[in-house]
């Protein structure tokens, strides 16, 4: 879930429109964000629920 701290008109400000037009500033990850050990810890929990 995501919440906005500013009103929806904030999405139309020039700096926000520029950010949307340019795309993400960070490069995509080269691999999974979790290590193999991290992934093993999460296996008992199971997949995320989609409601």
């Amino acid at each position: 879930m995501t919440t906005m701290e500013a009103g929806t008109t904030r999405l139309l400000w020039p700096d926000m429109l520029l950010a949307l037009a340019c795309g993400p500033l960070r490069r995509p990850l080269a691999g999974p964000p979790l290590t193999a050990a991290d992934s093993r810890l999460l296996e008992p929990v199971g997949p995320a629920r989609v409601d």
Side-chain angles (χ1 to χ4, degrees):
M1 173 173 273
T2 303
T3 60
M4 293 182 60
E5 294 179 6
T8 55
T9 57
R10 172 67 173 102
L11 297 173
L12 300 176
W13 289 11
D15 61 330
M16 183 60 71
L17 293 174
L18 181 63
L20 289 171
C22 293
L25 299 178
R26 295 182 182 178
R27 289 182 276 145
L29 295 174
L34 301 175
T35 65
D38 294 335
S39 295
R40 280 193 303 277
L41 286 172
L42 295 174
E43 284 176 6
V45 175
R49 286 183 28 194
V50 178
D51 292 332

